[in-house]
Amino acid sequence: MNTPAVAAPGPRDGAALAQLVGAALTHARGHADTEDATEIRAITDAMVRLLIGTPLHSDGKLTVVSLATEAGLRRNKLTHKHTGLKDLFYALVKARTPVPEALPDSARARAAKQQKDLARVRAERDDLRGQAQLLARIVHVLEIENQQLKRTNEQMKAQLAEYTSIPDLTRRRRR
């Protein structure tokens, strides 16, 4: 009789691997210690829920504290009694997290060029800010001088008006 072959879980399939290990540990311990079997089942079920992102009793973080809370156990059960399950959980979390690939040389060169360009653009920006501030001061000084010239011009016009209202007696004709 042929039974369908169960595909072995891949390295990224942490939930299936946790279930498989939990079932194996529960079966290996047998019926001798039912409290241990219950704890192992609770821990592996909590691992599965955390790894697939559907926590029921915890905050969903991938930590031993969250795992213990999710399993309904105290943390020391994982850190002292079921250390193998704790190590398995950490291994599954690490395997689940993608490892960043090393950057190729072309990407490093491009990043270095972008850093240089960014530094150059920032220096230009700072220089332009300084120039804009200088121009603003110059415009302010010119506005003050323009106001002074306008006042002087008005005063000169007033003096000229006074001067033109006085008759020039030297230009009168003699009769």
Side-chain angles (χ1 to χ4, degrees):
M1 175 192 276
N2 284 345
T3 57
V6 177
R12 303 275 186 222
D13 192 10
L17 188 59
Q19 281 181 327
L20 183 65
V21 169
L25 284 173
T26 304
H27 182 68
R29 299 265 171 126
H31 301 287
D33 192 7
T34 58
E35 182 181 337
D36 281 351
T38 306
E39 287 175 357
I40 291 170
R41 174 59 63 201
I43 293 169
T44 55
D45 289 345
M47 275 189 210
V48 171
R49 288 193 300 272
L50 286 176
L51 290 171
I52 64 173
T54 57
L56 298 176
H57 309 291
S58 70
D59 57 4
K61 293 181 182 176
L62 299 176
T63 63
V64 172
V65 174
S66 294
L67 178 61
T69 304
E70 189 68 27
L73 301 171
R74 293 188 322 225
R75 182 185 56 85
N76 69 347
K77 288 283 187 176
L78 285 165
T79 57
H80 298 305
K81 186 174 183 182
H82 301 291
T83 56
L85 289 174
K86 174 192 67 139
D87 294 339
L88 171 67
F89 180 68
Y90 278 140
L92 291 174
V93 168
K94 186 176 180 181
R96 182 175 185 264
T97 307
V99 177
E101 296 178 8
L103 290 175
D105 290 336
S106 62
R108 280 195 194 105
R110 189 172 49 239
K113 182 184 178 303
Q114 288 173 344
Q115 289 293 328
K116 288 178 185 175
D117 290 344
L118 181 61
R120 180 185 51 78
V121 168
R122 284 180 176 161
E124 279 182 33
R125 177 202 61 198
D126 294 341
D127 184 48
L128 290 174
R129 278 184 183 165
Q131 289 178 6
Q133 290 172 351
L134 178 64
L135 287 174
R137 286 192 297 266
I138 291 172
V139 167
H140 184 68
V141 168
L142 289 174
E143 285 178 355
I144 291 171
E145 288 178 357
N146 189 25
Q147 289 174 357
Q148 289 174 345
L149 287 173
K150 284 181 180 179
R151 271 191 246 122
T152 305
N153 190 26
E154 290 299 321
Q155 290 171 354
M156 297 293 257
K157 282 182 182 179
Q159 287 177 359
L160 183 62
E162 287 176 14
Y163 180 72
T164 56
S165 65
I166 299 174
D168 188 10
L169 297 176
T170 60
R171 291 188 182 198
R172 278 189 145 178
R173 285 187 202 169
R174 291 190 176 171
R175 294 188 199 184

